Amino acid sequence: MLCLGIESTAHTFGVSVVSSDGKVLSDVKDAYKAPPGSGIHPREASRHHSEAAPKLVQDALDVAKVRLDEIDAIAYSAGPGLGPCLRVGATVARALASYYRKPLVPANHAIGHIELGCLLSGAKDPVVLLVSGGHTMIVACHSGRWRVFGETLDITVGQLIDQFGREAGLSSPAGPQIENLAKASNEYVPLPYSVKGNDVSLSGVITSAKKLMHSGNNVSKVSFSLQETAFAMLTEVTERALAFSEKKEVLVTGGVAANSRLKEMLDVMCREQDSKLYMIPREKSGDCGLQIAWTGILAYQAGITIPIDQSFVKQSWRLDRVDAPWRN
Ligand code: AMP
Ligand code: MG
């Protein structure tokens, strides 16, 4: 079977066609770009999505060499995300499902990052470190549901990086630029290391990092220290979840999974724990239609569809509130 998936939780509008045997027929996207020094503006991002949607849906079909009537299900990211952005994706999905009489499947964006990570890396039953603009969570599946072992108590690691980047005058998302700046230094300045039980707190890191930069420390040194501190905290809580769950795999997914220093730290930890590290490939680590199309396949095959008049978007839709019966 074929599923067309639509992603539109934040910056990215993405459309993908994937088959039930995991073959990626197409995955196209375009992202709203915030002006340098500013963050995402939900209304402007949703305007971008409305303008980009028709061409991207057509491109996804053209690249896949299929017609809409050959698609078996339409999946959309129902949350969590920014309301105006989510509504564009849901509206496009409803229109297609209604006109072409196709089943509609709501997909949780976070589960999308995880299931795509499993598909592309080969991880089967991992402890997952989900690190992106919208998420910082350590989760694992138990009895047909992804359960949260630990998470951020305040900002996500993506927000940490992007907020610091904005303060340094970079445009969002700033991850790749901060990673490059960090590579140019190996001078560590201590920043607040705050692990509370299985959770992490990153707000102290951002406040101190901004202060350090404004008191004359160069951006490379502060970027390096910020990465070292935040990634060490994430590695510690991931290690704890691994020991507790007795799983033997760690999967890193979400936009921040593209960071090579994070991978390096987790690699050392996994070797010490006799476990295997799986990374989502860098080019699929950020938001994309494929994460939704693939989750749509899994959900649809497990019997999950929603009537168009009951379809929803939820700005807050935690992954531990969503059944994942395909994992039973
Ligand atoms: P997502 O929300 O999954 O699209 O992920 C976007 C987040 O990933 C943004 O906060 C980016 O700054 C961050 N990101 C992207 N590439 C990197 C990288 N190489 N290192 C660290 N963070 C990154
Ligand atoms: Mg995301």
Side-chain angles (χ1 to χ4, degrees):
M1 69 164 281
L2 295 179
C3 180
L4 180 140
I6 298 176
E7 157 58 27
S8 74
T9 53
H11 294 88
T12 303
F13 195 92
V15 188
S16 163
V17 178
V18 67
S19 69
S20 46
D21 56 6
K23 191 159 170 249
V24 182
L25 278 68
S26 63
D27 187 30
V28 298
K29 63 179 180 176
D30 191 55
Y32 158 80
K33 297 210 177 37
S38 61
I40 184 168
H41 188 305
R43 198 188 58 221
E44 292 305 317
S46 72
R47 191 203 307 267
H48 163 272
H49 296 352
S50 315
E51 287 169 5
K55 181 171 185 307
L56 287 169
V57 171
Q58 194 56 56
D59 287 353
L61 293 166
D62 290 348
V63 173
K65 296 192 175 64
V66 293
R67 295 185 313 274
L68 250 165
D69 54 86
E70 295 172 291
I71 299 285
D72 299 289
I74 311 271
Y76 69 102
S77 50
L82 302 168
C85 298
L86 287 169
R87 283 192 284 278
V88 176
T91 303
V92 173
R94 285 182 192 118
L96 295 175
S98 161
Y99 189 80
Y100 291 92
R101 298 179 187 282
K102 302 291 179 187
L104 185 62
V105 184
N108 178 283
H109 175 87
I111 292 181
H113 275 300
I114 295 172
E115 293 297 356
L116 181 60
C118 287
L119 172 73
L120 298 180
S121 72
K124 297 276 179 290
D125 182 24
V127 165
V128 181
L129 175 61
L130 170 57
V131 273
S132 69
H135 302 277
T136 295
M137 280 183 167
I138 299 90
V139 306
C141 200
H142 181 70
S143 303
R145 221 174 236 224
W146 289 97
R147 319 272 168 175
V148 179
F149 274 90
E151 60 192 315
T152 178
L153 295 170
D154 37 55
I155 57 171
T156 67
V157 67
Q159 286 167 335
L160 167 70
I161 288 166
D162 293 341
Q163 279 183 28
F164 179 70
R166 282 207 294 283
E167 197 79 5
L170 308 172
S171 57
S172 281
Q177 299 166 82
I178 298 285
E179 179 175 7
N180 282 334
L181 284 162
K183 276 186 188 143
S185 172
N186 57 8
E187 206 181 329
Y188 181 71
V189 189
L191 291 168
Y193 185 99
S194 181
V195 170
K196 301 180 180 181
N198 294 328
D199 296 323
V200 298
S201 162
L202 298 168
S203 57
V205 181
I206 186 71
T207 310
S208 302
K210 284 178 183 172
K211 266 194 205 145
L212 270 181
M213 187 175 61
H214 291 308
S215 59
N217 289 281
N218 75 52
V219 186
S220 282
K221 183 162 89 178
V222 185
S223 301
F224 173 77
S225 306
L226 177 147
Q227 282 198 175
E228 293 299 301
T229 310
F231 295 167
M233 286 156 67
L234 296 173
T235 304
E236 180 186 331
V237 289
T238 306
E239 180 169 29
R240 195 169 300 153
L242 196 58
F244 180 80
S245 65
E246 297 185 339
K247 295 196 191 275
K248 286 287 161 205
E249 302 176 337
V250 172
L251 166 70
V252 192
T253 188
V256 185
N259 190 289
S260 50
R261 180 61 183 140
L262 177 62
K263 175 173 190 259
E264 225 169 63
M265 283 192 191
L266 289 164
D267 219 9
V268 172
M269 180 277 282
C270 281
R271 268 186 271 127
E272 282 171 5
Q273 291 293 333
D274 205 15
S275 298
K276 188 157 179 218
L277 180 64
Y278 295 82
M279 305 292 296
I280 190 159
R282 186 178 263 256
E283 65 282 6
K284 298 295 180 197
S285 60
D287 295 349
C288 58
L290 181 55
Q291 69 189 99
I292 303 304
W294 178 242
T295 306
I297 292 264
L298 298 172
Y300 180 73
Q301 288 185 329
I304 298 172
T305 62
I306 193 156
I308 292 170
D309 59 357
Q310 288 170 35
S311 60
F312 60 89
V313 296
K314 288 186 192 168
Q315 296 194 55
S316 301
W317 194 29
R318 284 176 64 90
L319 85 175
D320 52 1
R321 309 296 293 266
V322 185
D323 284 328
W326 61 88
R327 286 250 159 212
N328 270 324

